[in-house]
Amino acid sequence: MPILGPLGRRPAGTMLTAFTVLATAWLSPAAATPLPDSPTPAAATSDVWTVAGPQADKDQLAADVVRDDSTGALALTVRRGADPVLPDSPLGLRTEGADLTRGLELLGRDDRRVHERYAMTTGKQRRVDSPMTESRFALRGDGGVRMDLVVRVARDGVAFRYELPDSAGTVVTGEASGYRLPADAPAWLLPHTSWYEEVRSETTAGGAPAGDYGYPALFELAAASADSNDAAASTDADADAEYVLLTESGMDSTYPGSKLAHAAGGGAYDVALAEAEVVSPGELATPWRTAIVGDLATVTESTLVSDLAPDAEFSDTSWIRPGTVSWSWLVEHDSPRDFERQKDYVDYAAAHGWEYTLVDEGWSREWVPELVRYARGKGVDILLWFRWWEVDTPEEMDTVFGELNDWGVKGVKVDFMNSGEGEPEGVGRHAWYEDVLAATAEHRLLVNFHGATLPKGLQRTWPHLMTYEAVRGHEYYSFDQPLTPTYNTMLPFTRNVVGSADVTPGTFSMTNRTHSDAHELALPVVYESGLQHPADSPETYATLPVAERVLDQLPTVWDETRYLGGRPGDDAVLARRAGDRWFVGGIHAGAAGDAEVDLGRLGADDDDRLLVELVTDGADGLARETRRVDGDARLTVPVAENGGFVALVCAAERGRTTCDQPVRTTPATALALTPRTATAQPGDEIEVTGRFAAAGGESATLRQVSLGARPRAGWTAAGDDVARPALRPGQALSGRWTVRVPESAEPGYVDVPVVAEYRAPGARASAPPVHVEQAVRVLVAPPVPSGEAHVGDLHLLTATNGWGPVEVDTSVGDDGAGDGAPLTIGGTTYAKGLGAHAPSRVTVYLGGACTSFAAQAGVDDEVGDRGSVSFRVLGDDTELAATGTLRGTDGAQPVTADVTGVDVLTLEVADGGDGISYDHGDWADAKVTCD
């Protein structure tokens, strides 16, 4: 493992609000001539216009726009001081009516300073202060068509974009944009897919196979200055090598995403659009073609992608709370279907001070509201997983997100945007990204994008966007495609540079993992994500108390980030600060050794004393030790083969023995309601009483306590909220309300919540109150059936399915309603019945009016012998009849039950236990006989 040398210190940004400082000077065409002091070599027939960087430094970045007089073509050279870093990048656009890649004439130039100061809710640092210089080159090309080239130079890179000011619109058919790298430059590249989950590998710019590569693409260049004949200078050059990270920023729905097209054998990487043409009805601005330039510290710490993005769409971010999330799907794929198991994950989050539990694929709307109530009473909020096409239209967004607000859900994980109709990185899909972000902001829901494109600045524009996938993460362990230590060390220098990455680290139980426990524990420090998903079970974490202690302390919001050492493919050591504590994470690929970490890089004075709590791989598992060192100490850390370490660093104040802060948990409380269930008709009134108190054994005093009924829109509750400034142990708060069912109420179940809220002991002033909720479950009863009635013709109170909706009188098809085939079991087709897909649950109201139930149950012929299911009939939650496992070869089996006196009939279909998802279970000719 390389020794980590001192890299100098830089102060953190301190500004809170976002604004831009402009200084503009319009230059006439005559004034926009080549600058005589330009250090860029150019032919006598070329014009060179320089855009200097924001710092008065001989080694600052600068950009030269070069116009070849013979062809009128433009190119861009990025240099540091006098030395080219990224030379001869071609520029230009092609439109349906004009070739704007050659024959270009400069009309004028406009220069200004741009100073971005803004706050982030996620990312490497909360407050950003980024000065840039900008030059706009007004150009005239083919047929007199106008195009502006806008170039920005920052401390950490250069970006350019094109603007077409024609208000009548245009059709772009491609870009000439590209980059020219030395063929022998080491490169870390990702084969392009629209979901960015391929394996990134190390190659060279010229040695990479021909094909399309995804952003960000990282290249290592020679040091800016070194005497190749001087061995010492050569060593310094290796340490100070210049890197270039290529990506794009400022995406919106007017322009598609792009990728890098590469022909084998050379260092050319050209920008290729995801769609063949871009139709713009008016003025058009392309995304920023972005090159982050500098040493690895500069690249890793860069905020250029968000600096170039539009500012936030809204300013009130008080409701946005990043955090740590318990998550069951990775190690237990079926667990999101299990209400009781999800409660275990909520309990774990509550006990460890984690903010959220994510319920992934398989959750049921039948029990999610109850899980939300259970979790919120423990100080934990619920996030839910969705397929993107379930919220594809504004109407679906309003309906679904509104319902989540009613339930109290705090965020969504939206998946599979890489699939479906249309180009996943086209303007249509980008319009969907904008629409769903606007809708979730309106409904105050956090967002996590999976199966998604890459972060391109939207986390600044939409502060509730917590993280993206767009990375091969830990889910691939369950696909038997484990992540290698080498791959892990590439991500901090590539994917995670451009935005939050939901890699879901913290998975200790995967037996195909080849790196150490300390390496795995360091990943949530090394990888930044506004929502961090430790992806193992409560039972596994309970066996790793040293890991638990680190995860319980780990923030997901950082005041600043500093690179401490490493190289992609070998090592990565990053430090992140939250308040007055630094978290240092180191990961390594290769043989065991020592890492030397320069703590002076963290900014303490040399005569300060630091307390360092270090976790490494020990002989018997994770080992923790405490050291007291000077502020400028170089910390020597033993690192196992493919190992790592975590260090928590704070000031060694007198009497301080740990950097840990108390894990805040929520006091246990009890909210009792009478009645818990009720059956009513429209216009009825229900008397509800509630009693709220701390649970027995709790010693904390609750502050600012209130209690009240919160019926849904259209329902009313007569009776005032009750409140107390303090509720001490042994005291209770009680209330009574008369709830009226509206005359317009539709049949079905309706929850009438009663809510207690209070301030938890020791909670920060900005923390939301604890929300404790229980609900009276009211059944607005439909008419009771009479005579012989087919179940599918009755009002279905609830109907849940393992895939798609429960279908009436057809089998289950795809995930849409009404797309199934005729019900067919054992070669017999049935006109009436229910088509289900395990696990499925259907309830209907009988109101005690029926005596018998009968059906022919079996696996639908469309899946044949691949399906295996079991059937169960319940009356008022008591089992009345059941089958064993039935397969496609068994044909239809009669199922009958005595339902005398039953109010609610439930029909369940369960998986046969083989884990195969062809479980189409039909309730053919299902009917009840009633009075």
Side-chain angles (χ1 to χ4, degrees), residues 339-546:
F339 171 60
E340 292 300 327
R341 185 56 172 158
Q342 292 307 299
K343 288 167 66 176
D344 293 340
Y345 280 81
V346 168
D347 291 344
Y348 187 84
H352 291 267
W354 295 6
E355 289 82 0
Y356 298 101
T357 293
L358 168 65
V359 190
D360 214 288
E361 180 181 14
W363 59 267
S364 170
R365 65 190 319 277
E366 282 198 3
W367 51 256
V368 160
E370 180 58 31
L371 181 68
V372 173
R373 288 191 283 268
Y374 179 83
R376 294 181 79 182
K378 294 174 173 284
V380 176
D381 282 313
I382 296 295
L383 312 174
L384 289 182
W385 176 93
F386 285 88
R387 303 172 185 90
W388 79 270
W389 54 84
E390 295 172 321
V391 286
D392 186 21
T393 67
E395 294 77 18
E396 288 174 340
M397 293 176 198
D398 189 57
T399 298
V400 171
F401 298 153
E403 186 170 50
L404 299 189
N405 286 160
D406 291 341
W407 294 348
V409 171
K410 295 300 182 183
V412 292
K413 174 182 176 180
V414 192
D415 209 344
F416 299 133
M417 283 77 77
N418 59 294
S419 61
E421 296 181 2
E423 166 56 50
E425 292 198 275
V427 294
R429 193 60 50 82
H430 280 291
W432 176 87
Y433 280 110
E434 293 173 0
D435 289 345
V436 81
L437 286 167
T440 47
E442 180 181 353
H443 290 279
R444 295 197 163 194
L445 296 168
L446 305 182
V447 177
N448 175 0
F449 282 140
H450 266 237
T453 189
L454 194 75
K456 298 173 182 179
L458 282 179
Q459 286 184 274
R460 176 183 177 185
T461 308
W462 298 98
H464 64 305
L465 175 50
M466 295 287 95
T467 191
Y468 290 74
E469 188 179 28
V471 68
R472 178 171 288 238
H474 277 45
E475 69 179 10
Y476 279 82
Y477 285 110
S478 65
F479 307 149
D480 201 26
Q481 299 177 57
L483 312 183
T484 67
T486 297
Y487 169 84
N488 289 346
T489 65
M490 295 180 188
L491 295 185
F493 308 115
T494 54
R495 164 63 182 85
N496 215 183
V497 172
V498 300
S500 296
D502 191 19
V503 187
T504 67
T507 315
F508 296 93
S509 62
M510 291 296 179
T511 58
N512 51 354
R513 178 166 53 88
T514 58
H515 56 262
S516 75
D517 281 356
H519 183 121
E520 184 68 22
L521 184 61
L523 294 179
V525 182
V526 174
Y527 301 153
E528 182 276 323
S529 180
L531 294 175
Q532 196 69 267
H533 295 78
D536 224 319
S537 68
E539 293 79 9
T540 295
Y541 288 132
T543 67
L544 298 165
V546 175

Side-chain angles (χ1 to χ4, degrees), residues 809-811 820-833 856 859-862 891-892 922-925:
D809 300 336
T810 68
S811 67
L823 295 162
T824 306
I825 308 173
T828 300
T829 299
Y830 299 85
K832 305 291 289 183
Q856 296 292 316
V859 175
D860 196 279
D861 286 355
E862 65 187 345
D922 295 343
W923 295 95
D925 200 25

Side-chain angles (χ1 to χ4, degrees), residues 481-696:
Q481 299 177 57
L483 312 183
T484 67
T486 297
Y487 169 84
N488 289 346
T489 65
M490 295 180 188
L491 295 185
F493 308 115
T494 54
R495 164 63 182 85
N496 215 183
V497 172
V498 300
S500 296
D502 191 19
V503 187
T504 67
T507 315
F508 296 93
S509 62
M510 291 296 179
T511 58
N512 51 354
R513 178 166 53 88
T514 58
H515 56 262
S516 75
D517 281 356
H519 183 121
E520 184 68 22
L521 184 61
L523 294 179
V525 182
V526 174
Y527 301 153
E528 182 276 323
S529 180
L531 294 175
Q532 196 69 267
H533 295 78
D536 224 319
S537 68
E539 293 79 9
T540 295
Y541 288 132
T543 67
L544 298 165
V546 175
E548 278 189 315
R549 183 172 172 181
V550 171
L551 294 174
D552 291 354
Q553 293 295 314
L554 197 61
T556 64
V557 178
W558 303 105
D559 293 304
E560 60 179 311
T561 294
R562 294 190 183 180
Y563 163 90
L564 298 188
R567 184 179 185 274
D570 296 331
D571 323 279
V573 184
L574 273 72
R576 303 189 192 272
R577 181 177 65 82
D580 62 355
R581 300 188 298 169
W582 284 94
F583 293 78
V584 181
I587 57 175
H588 171 62
D594 288 335
E596 190 170 317
V597 182
D598 180 15
L599 295 181
R601 179 80 170 93
L602 304 184
D605 292 333
D606 294 350
D607 55 355
D608 286 343
R609 293 286 288 171
L610 299 177
L611 180 64
V612 180
E613 297 183 82
L614 182 65
V615 177
T616 57
D617 293 298
D620 299 314
L622 293 172
R624 187 181 184 103
E625 64 172 301
T626 301
R627 303 183 189 179
R628 293 178 181 273
V629 300
D630 292 333
D632 61 349
R634 299 174 67 85
L635 193 68
T636 301
V637 182
V639 180
E641 180 181 5
N642 296 327
F645 64 91
V646 176
L648 181 52
V649 183
C650 61
E653 298 167 347
R654 182 182 298 274
R656 190 173 195 174
T657 60
T658 180
C659 296
D660 287 353
Q661 295 177 350
V663 174
R664 298 199 181 278
T665 58
T666 300
T669 58
L671 175 56
L673 302 185
T674 305
R676 291 308 308 266
T677 63
T679 301
Q681 298 291 332
D684 286 354
E685 292 185 344
I686 305 166
E687 296 296 322
V688 177
T689 61
R691 182 180 185 277
F692 176 70

Side-chain angles (χ1 to χ4, degrees), residues 122-442:
T122 60
K124 303 166 202 172
Q125 59 189 77
R126 294 168 66 105
R127 299 174 181 90
V128 181
D129 184 346
S130 178
M132 291 180 276
T133 55
E134 177 185 286
S135 292
R136 175 183 299 271
F137 299 93
L139 303 159
R140 181 168 57 203
D142 188 10
V145 174
R146 169 83 177 272
M147 178 183 76
D148 288 359
L149 170 68
V150 185
V151 179
R152 284 190 181 180
V153 180
R155 294 174 297 195
D156 52 351
V158 174
F160 64 89
R161 72 178 181 188
Y162 311 103
E163 297 184 11
L164 299 178
D166 189 347
S167 60
T170 189
V171 178
V172 174
T173 58
E175 293 187 22
S177 311
Y179 306 95
R180 301 296 177 257
L181 288 307
D184 61 351
W188 292 265
L189 300 177
L190 176 78
H192 178 265
T193 65
S194 60
W195 57 100
Y196 296 87
E197 294 178 28
E198 296 301 312
V199 175
R200 189 177 295 273
S201 59
E202 182 174 358
T203 178
T204 62
D212 293 335
Y213 291 91
Y215 300 120
L218 179 66
F219 302 88
E220 180 184 358
L221 309 179
S225 59
D227 183 349
S228 59
N229 296 319
D230 185 332
S234 178
T235 302
D236 290 342
D238 291 339
D240 298 332
E242 198 92 61
Y243 288 77
V244 173
L245 187 81
L246 302 178
T247 189
E248 61 185 349
S249 179
M251 291 294 304
D252 63 28
S253 58
T254 63
Y255 210 80
S258 68
K259 54 196 173 185
L260 294 173
H262 170 62
Y269 288 80
D270 293 316
V271 173
L273 302 184
E275 293 181 307
E277 62 178 28
V278 186
V279 179
S280 174
E283 297 178 2
L284 176 67
T286 73
W288 292 99
R289 306 291 166 226
T290 306
I292 300 172
V293 181
D295 59 16
L296 274 181
T298 300
V299 171
T300 307
E301 299 170 17
S302 172
T303 60
L304 187 57
V305 169
S306 59
D307 297 345
L308 295 166
D311 204 8
E313 288 284 338
F314 56 90
S315 58
D316 179 11
T317 60
S318 60
W319 56 276
I320 298 171
R321 185 171 64 141
T324 303
V325 188
S326 66
W327 177 52
S328 68
W329 180 89
L330 181 57
V331 292
E332 303 169 356
H333 283 359
D334 289 334
S335 61
R337 303 179 185 276
D338 187 337
F339 171 60
E340 292 300 327
R341 185 56 172 158
Q342 292 307 299
K343 288 167 66 176
D344 293 340
Y345 280 81
V346 168
D347 291 344
Y348 187 84
H352 291 267
W354 295 6
E355 289 82 0
Y356 298 101
T357 293
L358 168 65
V359 190
D360 214 288
E361 180 181 14
W363 59 267
S364 170
R365 65 190 319 277
E366 282 198 3
W367 51 256
V368 160
E370 180 58 31
L371 181 68
V372 173
R373 288 191 283 268
Y374 179 83
R376 294 181 79 182
K378 294 174 173 284
V380 176
D381 282 313
I382 296 295
L383 312 174
L384 289 182
W385 176 93
F386 285 88
R387 303 172 185 90
W388 79 270
W389 54 84
E390 295 172 321
V391 286
D392 186 21
T393 67
E395 294 77 18
E396 288 174 340
M397 293 176 198
D398 189 57
T399 298
V400 171
F401 298 153
E403 186 170 50
L404 299 189
N405 286 160
D406 291 341
W407 294 348
V409 171
K410 295 300 182 183
V412 292
K413 174 182 176 180
V414 192
D415 209 344
F416 299 133
M417 283 77 77
N418 59 294
S419 61
E421 296 181 2
E423 166 56 50
E425 292 198 275
V427 294
R429 193 60 50 82
H430 280 291
W432 176 87
Y433 280 110
E434 293 173 0
D435 289 345
V436 81
L437 286 167
T440 47
E442 180 181 353

